[in-house]
Amino acid sequence: MTIYTPNTKDRTGPKYKIIADAITDDIHDGHLAAGVKLPTHRDLAYRLGVTVGTVTRAYAELHRRRVADARVGSGTYVLDIARQAQVFSPVSNITSHEPLHRSDNRPTLEQPRDGNIDLSMNRPPPGPETEALAGTLRQLSGRNDLSILTQYNPAPGMLHHRKAMARLLNTIGLECEGDDIILTSGAQHAMAACALALLNAGDVLLTENLTYPGMTSLASHLGVRMRPVMMDEYGMRPDDLEAAVRETGARVVYIIPIMQNPTTATMNQERLQAIAAIAKRHNLIIMEDDVYGFQPKNRNPPLAQLIPDNTIYTNGFAKSIAPGLRVGCMKVPKTLFSAVTQAVQITGWMIPPLMGEIASQWIDSGLAQHIIDWHQDECIARNALAAEIFKGFSFQSQPECLHMWLDLPDGHHADDTLRNLRDQGVILAGPESFITAQADVPRSLRLCLGSTPTRERLKVGLDRIHKVLTEQPVTGFARMENMVI
């Protein structure tokens, strides 16, 4: 057994940062493997000749960098940085597989052929959108007015495309017209434009204490500090939001009110009204991420319907229609419309007109609603399958949701469980991917139910997860010949 001590020689700067840098380098160089337990604060302080407080601050810095994390009552452990890098990196996920498989002369995206089942990416399964796209492209090829689709167009998008999107948003309870809408290259583009228009480096962004990794990554790149707001079964808690506003003076809040990622929490009407009241009282701007908003068969109107002057509403085709089209949208208050439009220009100028034309044709023909209905029914079936397999387990889900939030049984820790699942050929995102600034990593896993092309393949993956979670936990230490502490 080797007793680990980081090499802090020839380093300059604050002592806590020297220690954190040395440990981080050892993790990246492979000298410290995922799952390794770091020395206790007191032991490392003694060996390095520093105070316990210095080590505590160094370990907090490791947590901030997401290379190590503390388990209450157990210690501080090295995280799997390679797996974390894949959580918000769809390109790496795809290129590591064989993404294109020709069948009937038509390319399709498949799961990897090495036997692994990847349930880490929250995407819808393939449905009728493939045939819809083929038909639309055939129809477009016969038109003689396509030149406008090859030219620059206004940054918010072509007006008839924006009017079509407004009509689709009307179906989920959001009153708007084409002039209210800005089209984007997906909802992620919309979020980036919002953040650029609203936030500066050093500002505080309030968000749920567990949230979408894309927003965490975006905030980090912009130098924006995230302040977590506690949640319950209905999402962001009004009392903690009120406290966070008073504590930080923040003026921007990021919320996923429908099928929250990763917890699936959904705001009821009472909660929506409570959040709306706080936003109006403190003159907050809400970034409402409603990317799952087309999924429920029955839902409450968006926050943007309750407080239109305080809300930038974002949605898109990614989760319910066709992620590859990269069609997103925003409903923006008139006072912010110019600033957000400029941010869209900076980050992409405009949605590709061809994508806007396909989207508007699908909406006007009823194809978009048909595809949404298909995905709703498919998600209901997949959630029923998961609920049957995990009967007796604790989990959170919604009938039409693309993911579920599964609590780990006693004795199972996330890092060890994820390694064991990889050995069984199942890939999941780690729960640390969803934390903002809090210290504790949740003992839960997000299972993306739409990631497999078929329900049969999903069942194989879920059965493997069930098997690992019903067996005696196997820790990373039990499999390491030379444990480092």
Side-chain angles (χ1 to χ4, degrees):
M1 179 185 296
T2 303
I3 298 187
Y4 170 74
T5 304
N7 183 3
T8 58
K9 293 181 180 179
D10 301 323
R11 294 178 183 268
T12 60
K15 290 181 180 179
Y16 83 92
K17 190 174 184 299
I18 290 174
I19 298 170
D21 288 345
I23 296 174
T24 300
D25 287 348
D26 285 342
I27 293 171
H28 283 288
D29 292 342
H31 300 312
L32 287 174
V36 165
K37 182 179 180 180
L38 295 177
T40 66
H41 296 213
R42 190 173 299 278
D43 285 346
L44 188 57
Y46 175 77
R47 272 183 263 136
L48 294 179
V50 299
T51 66
V52 173
T54 298
V55 174
T56 299
R57 193 173 177 189
Y59 280 11
E61 177 65 15
L62 295 176
H63 167 77
R64 189 191 68 80
R65 298 177 185 181
R66 301 195 176 199
V67 296
D69 206 64
R71 296 177 185 170
V72 177
S74 178
T76 301
Y77 294 83
V78 175
L79 295 176
D80 190 339
I81 57 175
R83 172 168 48 76
Q84 290 185 72
Q86 293 180 353
V87 172
F88 190 59
S89 183
V91 172
S92 65
N93 284 347
I94 292 174
T95 55
S96 64
H97 304 159
E98 295 181 46
L100 292 178
H101 169 64
R102 297 197 68 83
S103 174
D104 298 327
N105 298 318
R106 185 166 297 163
T108 57
L109 184 65
E110 290 195 338
Q111 286 270 317
R113 296 187 192 176
D114 56 7
N116 285 341
I117 299 175
D118 190 343
L119 303 182
S120 67
M121 189 173 178
N122 218 8
R123 61 187 179 197
E129 60 273 10
T130 303
E131 292 302 324
L133 180 59
T136 303
L137 292 176
R138 282 193 297 269
Q139 181 184 7
L140 285 171
S141 68
R143 286 172 41 177
N144 58 9
D145 60 345
L146 297 181
S147 62
I148 192 171
L149 302 183
T150 68
Q151 303 298 315
Y152 281 112
N153 278 275
M158 298 173 69
L159 184 57
H160 76 279
H161 296 167
R162 295 159 63 196
K163 287 181 176 179
M165 184 62 75
R167 288 191 290 273
L168 185 63
L169 296 177
N170 293 162
T171 67
I172 57 174
L174 183 60
E175 296 177 7
C176 56
E177 298 179 354
D179 288 339
D180 302 319
I181 302 299
I182 299 174
L183 298 179
T184 59
S185 296
Q188 183 69 35
H189 182 202
M191 288 167 47
C194 286
L196 284 172
L198 297 175
L199 297 164
N200 296 309
D203 286 350
V204 176
L205 174 65
L206 306 181
T207 186
E208 297 105 336
N209 61 298
L210 300 171
T211 195
Y212 170 48
M215 177 50 76
T216 306
S217 178
L218 177 61
S220 176
H221 279 287
L222 295 177
V224 170
R225 295 176 294 144
M226 299 185 77
R227 199 285 199 182
V229 179
M230 293 295 103
M231 289 189 293
D232 59 20
E233 62 182 308
Y234 298 114
M236 183 177 284
R237 282 173 29 196
D239 61 330
D240 204 45
L241 174 59
E242 185 93 49
V245 172
R246 296 185 186 280
E247 170 194 324
T248 66
R251 287 293 174 262
V252 183
V253 186
Y254 171 71
I255 298 178
I256 309 174
I258 297 288
M259 299 178 181
Q260 200 267 349
N261 185 9
T263 68
T264 81
T266 295
M267 292 188 178
N268 59 14
Q269 188 65 26
E270 181 181 356
R271 180 59 53 86
L272 289 167
Q273 290 173 341
I275 297 295
I278 293 171
K280 292 193 73 171
R281 183 160 59 250
H282 294 283
N283 196 27
L284 304 177
I285 296 297
I286 304 291
M287 294 173 59
E288 181 178 12
D289 184 351
D290 201 28
V291 72
Y292 301 100
F294 294 122
Q295 285 296 105
K297 288 183 178 291
N298 297 291
R299 57 160 294 170
N300 290 310
L303 271 168
Q305 181 64 24
L306 299 179
I307 44 171
D309 293 335
N310 295 80
T311 307
I312 298 180
Y313 173 90
T314 64
N315 204 330
F317 273 27
K319 305 304 182 183
S320 304
I321 301 177
L325 290 188
R326 306 312 303 144
V327 174
C329 65
M330 292 181 278
K331 179 183 181 292
V332 183
K334 297 300 182 186
T335 55
L336 295 170
F337 201 91
S338 176
V340 176
T341 298
Q342 289 177 12
V344 169
Q345 289 178 308
I346 291 169
T347 52
W349 191 267
M350 63 184 183
I351 182 177
L354 177 60
M355 298 299 101
E357 184 66 18
I358 293 171
S360 66
Q361 286 206 22
W362 285 12
I363 293 168
D364 291 341
S365 68
L367 266 174
Q369 190 60 54
H370 168 68
I371 296 170
I372 290 170
D373 293 342
W374 186 93
H375 281 291
Q376 288 175 340
D377 292 338
E378 181 64 18
C379 280
I380 289 172
R382 291 182 179 229
N383 273 278
L385 172 64
E388 180 63 28
I389 291 173
F390 293 109
K391 186 182 297 183
F393 283 72
S394 173
F395 61 84
Q396 293 78 52
S397 67
Q398 301 291 338
E400 305 96 343
C401 195
L402 281 168
H403 60 279
M404 66 185 299
W405 188 236
L406 179 67
D407 298 329
L408 292 173
D410 290 342
H412 290 262
H413 292 286
D415 278 350
D416 295 328
T417 299
L418 290 166
R419 280 193 299 275
N420 296 338
L421 286 172
R422 279 206 306 278
D423 290 344
Q424 298 295 320
V426 178
I427 302 169
L428 297 177
E432 71 278 357
S433 308
F434 305 103
I435 63 176
T436 51
Q438 68 274 26
D440 295 336
V441 176
R443 294 184 60 258
S444 303
L445 296 175
R446 185 189 69 174
L447 311 186
C448 296
L449 305 181
S451 291
T452 59
T454 65
R455 293 179 211 167
E456 291 74 20
R457 192 66 174 153
L458 175 63
K459 185 178 187 305
V460 173
L462 297 181
D463 282 339
R464 291 179 185 176
I465 296 172
H466 182 273
K467 180 176 182 292
V468 167
L469 294 181
T470 52
E471 292 177 342
Q472 184 70 22
V474 177
T475 67
F477 308 114
R479 296 186 291 182
M480 297 178 63
E481 295 181 0
N482 297 305
M483 185 174 76
V484 181
I485 61 173

